[in-house]
Amino acid sequence: MKKIEAIIRKSKYSAVRDALHNVGVNFFSYWDVTGLGNEKEGHVYRGVSYSTSDIQRRHLSIVVNNDFEETTIKAILTAAATGEVGDGKIFVSDINECYRIRTGEKGGDTLK
């Protein structure tokens, strides 16, 4: 199993959520996060400069079976991309085991 964590623009959350549902990812956790990015310059709006050092993002945490890793990542990449600096990052790590609390069963079938 794989844990896929994606940090995306908040404005792209709906598109990513829909893309994940369309490929069969029906459960994931998310939360709002603030982070620091590589962009050093501020933005000017109506003559006022605003700092962009603190960036509002959404963090998604998704666990999938190994054979579903590429499909999930492709859905996120396609839906979250704007082509601009700050589109986000995806991290993938291994999950050793998964348990369904209600029944006590374990393994990849608990993700269905």
Side-chain angles (χ1 to χ4, degrees), residues 72-112:
T72 303
I73 292 171
K74 189 173 184 178
I76 296 168
L77 287 173
T78 301
T82 67
E84 301 292 325
V85 172
D87 277 349
K89 300 273 193 286
I90 297 174
F91 307 97
V92 180
S93 55
D94 290 321
I95 297 293
N96 294 326
E97 194 59 83
C98 180
Y99 294 85
R100 179 170 287 145
I101 294 173
R102 178 177 49 88
T103 63
E105 65 185 302
K106 69 177 187 176
D109 287 340
T110 61
L111 300 176
K112 297 179 183 176

Side-chain angles (χ1 to χ4, degrees), residues 29-80:
S29 299
Y30 70 91
W31 53 96
D32 291 333
V33 296
T34 303
L36 299 174
N38 291 328
E39 188 174 352
K40 302 297 183 218
E41 60 188 59
H43 290 283
V44 177
Y45 178 73
R46 294 188 178 183
V48 178
S49 180
Y50 293 92
S51 171
T52 56
S53 61
D54 294 330
I55 303 169
Q56 297 294 313
R57 297 286 182 250
R58 190 147 284 169
H59 185 134
L60 304 156
S61 179
I62 309 158
V63 178
V64 296
N65 285 312
N66 290 340
D67 59 346
F68 215 64
E69 174 186 359
E70 191 172 322
T71 302
T72 303
I73 292 171
K74 189 173 184 178
I76 296 168
L77 287 173
T78 301

Side-chain angles (χ1 to χ4, degrees), residues 8 11-28 30 58 60 62 68 71-72 74-76 78-80:
I8 61 170
S11 62
K12 298 300 280 183
Y13 171 73
S14 293
V16 171
R17 180 197 60 212
D18 293 345
L20 289 170
H21 284 297
N22 287 340
V23 297
V25 176
N26 296 312
F27 177 81
F28 60 89
Y30 70 91
R58 190 147 284 169
L60 304 156
I62 309 158
F68 215 64
T71 302
T72 303
K74 189 173 184 178
I76 296 168
T78 301

